[in-house]
Amino acid sequence: MSEAQQFEEVVHSTEAAAVFTMRNRHRGSQLGLLLLGSQLFQVGLNNIPPVTLAVLALNVYLYLFPAAPLMQACISVQQAYWFKDWRRLLLSPLHHLDDLHLYFNMASFLWKGIRLERRLGGPWFLYLLSVFSLLTGVMYLLLEAVLTQITQDQSYSLACAVGFSGVLFALKVLNNHYHPGNVTYMMGFTVSNRYASWVELVLIHITSPGTSFIGHLAGILVGLLYTAGPLKTVMKKCAELVASNGYNLQPRTHYRSSGYSGFRSTGTGYSGHSQYAPDHTMNHTASYTGGLSEEEQLDTAIRNSLNEREQTSQRGAPPPYGFHLSDEARAEEIRWRRLRRFDS
């Protein structure tokens, strides 16, 4: 078992206990901040992608200097819907009850953020976090309102939730979706990633009944809306609409699972135009790759490259990218050469 897997097992096994423990601790203790600082030091700030690091810093800052008292930041049907205090949708995910609550949430987010930001790219990951944060709150309100109507118990509408846990569950669903064959370590047991989010939801509710079961369930449902529902498509359409108006919301580079690439240096800084390193495939008909898996990006790049060659051949121009192929070249050979452009 690797160090990262061992740490994730500790996070999973203690994440639920954190809520119970923090109720019995003095607010003056800052052990959680020390633990978080130690974890960041071990990982190394240079190894943390910028969006993940910025979100971590924002959560720590709002813990030290909250934008509102907790009772004015938490979200509930009563406060958000009845009293129309919709700003709680923005405040609730970024505030935590105490330092251990903050630590366990941010330690879990650290590993998920590193993986997902490197896979999706910084701009799309930031977009994803923003949407997940808002939708998790909306889903929480819907679930609590439905339970109130079904049970005729007003306590569901009064329940006030705070913390990043709902967003984390949405990210867990997404991360597990990208690694379906892997396993997650929970309390000494291995669980298939396909069921990891559901198992953790039940375990947390059993070991710490005071946690927000509905808040965590809301995060899972939002994650499923993205991986198995229409949310991903809607987000792409919105990003394309913003890009068509001249705003560069979506990432314009090809992101690999091992890291993310920036613009090519022009000698005077980084260019904001369509100038890319040689191993990047970009076409004016498919300059948008945010949210696509590696397989989808690869297939899109190959199709665009083949289409471009057909267009240049019709115009009598030489083949693109410096390839000089004979007229008898087969499609398999073209595909093989295009695939070789991603090897580095």
Side-chain angles (χ1 to χ4, degrees):
M1 187 188 304
S2 67
E3 277 187 33
Q5 290 172 328
Q6 291 175 352
F7 177 77
E8 283 185 296
E9 181 179 8
V10 172
V11 170
H12 285 303
S13 62
T14 55
E15 202 168 16
V19 178
F20 174 80
T21 303
M22 67 188 176
R23 293 174 181 168
N24 297 277
R25 296 177 64 250
H26 296 294
R27 290 281 302 179
S29 173
Q30 300 299 330
L31 176 62
L33 291 178
L34 295 176
L35 291 173
L36 181 58
S38 174
Q39 188 62 42
L40 294 176
F41 177 78
Q42 292 179 28
V43 174
L45 295 182
N46 292 335
N47 296 321
I48 305 175
V51 173
T52 299
L53 186 59
V55 172
L56 280 166
L58 178 61
N59 276 270
V60 172
Y61 177 83
L62 288 178
Y63 170 73
L64 296 174
F65 308 99
L70 284 178
M71 292 307 298
Q72 297 179 23
C74 63
I75 187 172
S76 68
V77 175
Q78 179 196 48
Q79 297 296 330
Y81 181 71
W82 295 354
F83 298 157
K84 308 301 180 184
D85 190 3
W86 296 111
R87 66 172 187 153
R88 292 172 182 260
L89 285 172
L90 301 176
L91 296 177
S92 59
L94 301 175
H95 288 73
H96 293 82
L97 290 175
D98 86 347
D99 55 299
L100 276 187
H101 187 206
L102 173 72
Y103 164 66
F104 286 112
N105 276 349
M106 292 301 100
S108 180
F109 172 68
L110 175 62
W111 296 101
K112 295 175 180 61
I114 289 175
R115 292 172 180 173
L116 291 174
E117 185 172 350
R118 286 177 175 173
R119 184 183 188 100
L120 302 175
W124 186 266
F125 185 58
L126 179 60
Y127 180 30
L128 191 76
L129 286 177
S130 303
V131 173
F132 277 11
S133 296
L134 288 174
L135 286 187
T136 299
V138 172
M139 184 67 71
Y140 173 79
L141 294 177
L142 288 175
L143 292 175
E144 293 284 19
V146 169
L147 286 173
T148 300
Q149 291 296 321
I150 293 176
T151 64
Q152 295 299 308
D153 185 352
Q154 295 298 321
S155 65
Y156 289 107
S157 292
L158 301 179
C160 212
V162 67
F164 208 66
S165 300
V167 180
L168 286 177
F169 268 88
L171 294 180
K172 288 173 187 177
V173 172
L174 183 56
N175 187 59
N176 293 340
H177 171 74
Y178 287 134
H179 305 89
N182 292 358
V183 296
T184 298
Y185 296 89
M186 294 183 185
M187 298 184 177
F189 298 95
T190 58
V191 180
S192 171
N193 276 0
R194 180 175 298 180
Y195 311 107
S197 299
W198 297 105
V199 172
E200 186 173 354
L201 175 68
V202 174
L203 285 177
I204 288 180
H205 186 61
I206 292 175
T207 58
S208 187
T211 56
S212 178
F213 178 86
I214 301 301
H216 297 164
L217 176 61
I220 292 179
L221 295 180
V222 169
L224 290 175
L225 279 177
Y226 184 88
T227 59
L231 180 57
K232 182 178 179 181
T233 301
V234 172
M235 288 177 62
K236 286 181 183 178
K237 294 297 183 183
C238 292
E240 290 170 356
L241 180 62
V242 172
S244 66
N245 291 329
Y247 296 97
N248 186 17
L249 174 63
Q250 61 272 66
R252 292 187 176 275
T253 54
H254 173 75
Y255 293 96
R256 302 182 179 184
S257 60
S258 59
Y260 47 92
S261 305
F263 294 109
R264 184 182 66 179
S265 175
T266 60
T268 58
Y270 289 99
S271 170
H273 303 288
S274 300
Q275 298 176 349
Y276 303 93
D279 63 338
H280 291 249
T281 301
M282 189 59 60
N283 186 281
H284 66 282
T285 61
S287 61
Y288 170 65
T289 59
L292 295 178
S293 67
E294 287 184 283
E295 293 78 14
E296 293 171 331
Q297 294 179 35
L298 184 59
D299 290 341
T300 300
I302 292 171
R303 287 197 302 270
N304 292 336
S305 297
L306 292 175
N307 291 337
E308 184 173 349
R309 181 181 181 273
E310 293 176 0
Q311 294 171 3
T312 54
S313 297
Q314 292 173 0
R315 294 193 301 264
Y321 306 110
F323 291 151
H324 299 280
L325 303 177
S326 63
D327 294 335
E328 294 80 19
R330 296 175 302 171
E332 289 79 3
E333 183 178 0
I334 298 174
R335 179 183 178 88
W336 179 84
R337 295 194 181 193
R338 298 307 182 194
L339 286 172
R340 291 288 299 171
R341 299 181 65 253
F342 293 89
D343 294 339
S344 59

